């Protein structure tokens, strides 16, 4: 299969991180497609949000359109109900969000990102997309092992060996916290793009879009809401201190002990 260096496939969930990654890809690649997964997630409202995000970023009249020149192409939605069926987690069941015996929150869905990346690579292979963009991060995250840089690097090697090709897995947010992710959105498309992501992306694990906060919609109490809220506060504080909106540099922090 001939892969095209100008084509990218973005894993778009409808959340803040993946929405920012879609903008990042549109700023860098001529042709960008998206892929999403319905696995019976508790916060399935994100699947509606991702459609709104796609429409907003594809709007030629948007004030940030010239800064994101890539063409937004086909969307691929895959149904992975088997993952939800075998996952006894707070992301797939109506249960309280707590820490498990391993120390990870019970929102961790074992194998989820491994499966997502594998299915994305299969689609990218068929569509001729060399670049696969994921919104995973190990700076502001809940400790999920499949979001770590080492995991993604290993996945890239495995996928390339298994498909005998040369995909490139990009993780633009790997070393950015949520404040820097808000800053990146503004860097890419100005306040207008940041506000689209603020208003229309969905992060809350319990799927609550009935409450609007200054950082977006959500229950305000789950780990995802707490991370997003704290990031928004840091982002705004940095902008106020500097007299402008902050800009994330994405620099890798010193290695952490695990």
């Amino acid at each position: 299969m001939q892969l095209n260096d100008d084509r990218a496939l973005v894993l778009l969930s409808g959340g803040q991180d993946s929405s920012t990654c879609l903008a990042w890809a549109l700023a860098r690649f001529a042709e960008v497609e998206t892929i999403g997964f319905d696995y019976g997630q508790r916060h399935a409202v994100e699947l509606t949000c991702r459609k709104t995000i796609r429409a907003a970023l594809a709007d030629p009249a948007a004030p940030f359109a010239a800064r994101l020149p890539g063409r937004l192409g086909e969307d691929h939605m895959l149904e992975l109900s088997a993952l939800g069926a075998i996952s006894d987690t707070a992301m797939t069941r109506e249960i309280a969000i707590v820490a498990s015996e391993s120390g990870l929150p019970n929102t961790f869905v074992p194998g989820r990102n491994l499966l997502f990346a594998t299915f994305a690579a299969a689609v990218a292979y068929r569509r001729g997309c060399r670049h696969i963009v994921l919104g995973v991060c190990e700076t502001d995250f809940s400790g999920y092992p499949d979001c770590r840089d080492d995991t993604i690097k290993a996945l890239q090697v495995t996928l390339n060996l298994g498909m005998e090709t040369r995909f490139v897995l990009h993780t633009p947010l790997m070393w950015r916290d949520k404040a820097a992710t808000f800053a990146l959105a503004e860097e890419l498309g100005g306040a207008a793009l940041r506000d689209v992501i603020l208003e229309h992306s969905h992060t809350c694990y319990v799927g609550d879009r009935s409450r609007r906060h200054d950082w977006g919609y959500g229950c305000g109490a789950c780990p995802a809401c707490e991370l997003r809220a704290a990031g928004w506060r840091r982002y705004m504080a940095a902008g106020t201190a500097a007299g402008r909106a902050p800009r994330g540099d994405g620099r890798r922090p010193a290695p952490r002990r695990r």
Side-chain angles (χ1 to χ4, degrees), residues 76-180:
H76 310 271
M77 176 58 65
L78 302 188
E79 193 270 330
L80 296 181
S81 58
L83 177 60
I86 64 173
S87 300
D88 186 18
T89 74
M91 294 286 267
T92 54
R93 303 284 188 273
E94 294 288 335
I95 58 177
I97 298 175
V98 297
S100 66
E101 292 181 0
S102 68
L104 288 172
N106 64 348
T107 51
F108 174 57
V109 181
R112 181 181 60 171
N113 284 340
L114 308 181
L115 286 172
F116 286 0
T118 301
F119 276 97
V123 172
Y125 186 95
R126 177 170 60 87
R127 300 293 295 174
C129 300
R130 181 177 301 281
H131 304 278
I132 300 172
V133 185
L134 305 93
V136 296
C137 162
E138 67 165 272
T139 303
D140 256 0
F141 79 138
S142 296
Y144 300 163
D146 58 0
C147 288
R148 292 175 182 157
D149 190 54
D150 289 347
T151 302
I152 303 305
K153 283 185 169 63
L155 264 175
Q156 178 171 293
V157 172
T158 300
L159 293 171
N160 284 333
L161 287 173
M163 298 189 191
E164 200 167 325
T165 188
R166 285 293 180 265
F167 293 120
V168 181
L169 271 58
H170 298 271
T171 55
L173 309 182
M174 183 59 73
W175 309 116
R176 299 178 190 267
D177 61 15
K178 286 293 184 289

Side-chain angles (χ1 to χ4, degrees), residues 3-143:
L3 299 181
N4 191 325
D5 268 325
D6 291 328
R7 293 179 63 83
L9 179 66
V10 178
L11 279 71
L12 178 66
S13 68
Q16 175 193 354
D17 292 347
S18 67
S19 298
T20 304
C21 285
L22 176 56
W24 182 90
L26 288 168
R28 283 161 177 77
F29 302 107
E31 301 283 337
V32 178
E33 299 188 4
T34 54
I35 185 168
F37 303 95
D38 182 352
Y39 60 98
Q41 57 266 53
R42 183 176 177 180
H43 55 305
V45 67
E46 69 176 1
L47 301 181
T48 299
C49 293
R50 69 187 298 280
K51 295 178 183 178
T52 305
I53 292 290
R54 269 186 54 91
L57 268 61
D59 182 1
F64 47 77
R67 297 170 65 173
L68 308 178
R71 187 183 74 85
L72 184 55
E74 189 170 336
D75 183 37
H76 310 271
M77 176 58 65
L78 302 188
E79 193 270 330
L80 296 181
S81 58
L83 177 60
I86 64 173
S87 300
D88 186 18
T89 74
M91 294 286 267
T92 54
R93 303 284 188 273
E94 294 288 335
I95 58 177
I97 298 175
V98 297
S100 66
E101 292 181 0
S102 68
L104 288 172
N106 64 348
T107 51
F108 174 57
V109 181
R112 181 181 60 171
N113 284 340
L114 308 181
L115 286 172
F116 286 0
T118 301
F119 276 97
V123 172
Y125 186 95
R126 177 170 60 87
R127 300 293 295 174
C129 300
R130 181 177 301 281
H131 304 278
I132 300 172
V133 185
L134 305 93
V136 296
C137 162
E138 67 165 272
T139 303
D140 256 0
F141 79 138
S142 296

